[in-house]
Amino acid sequence: MTTWSLREMPVPESLDAPDAWLLHGMVEVRNETIRATWGTDDFAITAPRALSLLRHGEYTRRLRVLAVDDTTDAPDPARVLGTAGLDLPQTDNTHTGWLGVSVRPAHRGRGLGDTLHAAVLDAARAAGRTHLMAETEQDVEPSPGAHTVGAPTGSGLVSRDDPAVRFALARGWRLEQVARHSRLELPLDPDAVEAHRAAAAAVAGPDYRTVTWQDATPDAWADQLAALRTSMSTDEPTAGLDVGQEAWDAARVRSEDAETLERGEQLLTTAVEHVPTGRLVAYSQLLAPSHTDEFVWQEDTLVQREHRGHRLGMLVKAVQLQELARRRPSVRRISTWNAEENRWMLAINVALGFRPAGGSGVWQTTL
């Protein structure tokens, strides 16, 4: 029988450093579990991304604990059997953290997940955190029935038969929210997208115009994008999660942009300017991973509260899709997650052609 032990993963100097095999093993574990759930490599993480996240801890400190096969001392990534991650905000919400546990499918049922989970809970307590969040993923939302758990929001279900859900329930985690994963297949009919854009622009009127940029945020917009990111942290539905406003400023925007580009990813941002004030009042952002040119993540989309009712959500997303088709015509799929109770954004997505494709349960525990 394979014997194993836990160790905290060091941050290697480079991806070729002698101890980098542990990071490569962690990436393998994560991608095996992602593929087992979703049946696709679209959501895979890369070694450059994993290393970049560990290197930059000004806003989030990241701890990674590994379950490592002890039957050999070879520097082999396959020795990493499981991993647990703990992400600790450093400038806001410092009472919280995000936890994740992954075990290679072939090594489940041997206590690795439970031991990893206990280790990062101890680390969270040592860091003074009182509330932790975690997610479980599902490629299909279950039909209602006794085999499901419903979110307290009244929207969305997870299956009690799912091993990750059983794991969370057995350890006292509480389901707070269900997010819908929506998938958009490309290319779209350009005339249909233009019809959505034109109809939204007609409602918005001349007081609003769109502006798009690729990759790093221009200095002229950094402060205003930071204000929108702050609004995003409080305006998106968070159900019963014990989270508050995030602290965003221009420096944090520039830092996040730089980290994204450092790991070979690309950004595409479309915003809406309120012409009379010269202020950005809405935005939508896409993230293109480095491992494929056929897939992008739909990141945040927000319209500030005082500017809602002008169809700016549809306007910014339609323009964003037009810009994506022009700048990255190879993209064939977009994925996005929205709280099931966020019916306004879900309606926009459905109108544009996004279709439900599973989702995630968002859980919380109190330490």
Side-chain angles (χ1 to χ4, degrees):
M1 176 180 290
T2 302
T3 60
W4 52 272
S5 61
L6 297 189
R7 66 177 73 178
E8 183 175 341
M9 192 179 75
V11 181
E13 288 295 322
S14 72
L15 294 176
D16 298 319
D19 58 353
W21 66 273
L22 290 162
L23 182 141
H24 291 291
M26 179 191 74
V27 170
E28 286 184 7
V29 172
R30 290 288 298 117
N31 287 339
E32 276 192 30
T33 58
I34 290 168
R35 196 176 300 116
T37 299
W38 296 104
T40 178
D41 288 325
D42 283 351
F43 306 156
I45 65 170
T46 65
R49 178 179 179 84
L51 180 57
S52 174
L53 290 173
L54 289 170
R55 279 179 169 168
H56 299 286
E58 180 181 358
Y59 299 102
T60 303
R61 182 167 70 88
R62 297 175 175 91
L63 171 72
R64 301 295 182 259
V65 179
L66 309 179
V68 181
D69 179 355
D70 288 331
T71 58
T72 175
D73 58 2
D76 183 358
R79 289 179 58 199
V80 181
L81 309 180
T83 177
L86 182 64
D87 292 358
L88 301 171
Q90 297 296 293
T91 58
D92 50 55
N93 290 294
T94 54
H95 64 295
T96 69
W98 282 86
L99 177 150
V101 177
S102 300
V103 176
R104 293 186 193 263
H107 292 276
R108 292 174 182 170
R110 300 171 48 205
L112 280 79
D114 197 44
T115 305
L116 287 162
H117 176 264
V120 288
L121 284 186
D122 287 344
R125 292 187 186 97
R129 306 299 160 124
T130 59
H131 291 75
L132 292 182
M133 278 76 73
E135 292 183 328
T136 57
E137 298 179 333
Q138 54 192 22
D139 62 348
V140 177
E141 183 171 319
S143 301
H147 65 291
T148 64
V149 181
T153 62
S155 301
L157 301 167
V158 298
S159 172
R160 293 181 183 272
D161 299 328
D162 181 89
V165 172
R166 292 201 306 268
F167 185 96
L169 290 171
R171 288 154 185 82
W173 288 78
R174 303 180 304 278
L175 180 66
E176 299 288 0
Q177 188 179 59
V178 172
R180 181 190 303 181
H181 167 228
S182 300
R183 191 82 151 172
L184 181 64
E185 302 290 336
L186 301 178
L188 297 175
D189 178 355
D191 292 337
V193 180
E194 171 57 21
H196 284 301
R197 186 211 64 80
V203 174
D207 281 354
Y208 298 96
R209 73 176 186 96
T210 59
V211 56
T212 297
W213 62 85
Q214 190 161 322
D215 295 332
T217 305
D219 287 342
W221 297 124
D223 283 311
Q224 295 190 41
L225 186 64
L228 290 173
R229 295 293 297 267
T230 299
S231 295
M232 184 74 193
S233 70
T234 56
D235 286 2
E236 69 174 340
T238 54
L241 299 173
D242 190 352
V243 292
Q245 181 173 285
E246 295 178 1
W248 282 87
D249 56 17
R252 186 170 180 177
V253 168
R254 294 189 184 99
S255 175
E256 183 168 279
D257 287 353
E259 291 174 28
T260 298
L261 301 179
E262 168 191 284
R263 54 187 180 245
E265 300 167 353
Q266 293 184 305
L267 293 165
L268 184 64
T269 306
T270 297
V272 177
E273 180 189 9
H274 183 234
V275 176
T277 61
R279 305 295 298 176
L280 297 184
V281 298
Y283 79 110
S284 184
Q285 198 161 56
L286 296 172
L287 174 67
S290 62
H291 69 283
T292 176
D293 61 0
E294 294 188 353
F295 169 76
V296 297
W297 298 93
Q298 169 69 68
E299 300 284 283
D300 294 345
T301 300
L302 172 77
V303 178
Q304 286 191 327
R305 289 181 181 275
E306 59 269 32
H307 291 274
R308 293 174 184 171
H310 301 282
R311 299 207 67 197
L312 300 185
M314 176 60 80
L315 176 63
V316 73
K317 294 199 74 162
V319 171
Q320 181 82 312
L321 289 172
Q322 291 177 323
E323 290 288 343
L324 178 67
R326 183 172 70 84
R327 298 174 189 238
R328 298 182 66 89
S330 64
V331 174
R332 292 292 176 266
R333 300 172 298 280
I334 303 175
S335 278
T336 188
W337 271 258
N338 302 96
E340 283 284 5
E341 65 269 29
N342 191 354
R343 57 185 180 88
W344 302 274
M345 191 56 65
L346 288 172
I348 293 172
N349 287 341
V350 169
L352 288 168
F354 283 88
R355 294 295 176 259
S360 59
V362 188
W363 302 75
Q364 184 168 237
T365 192
T366 304
L367 300 180

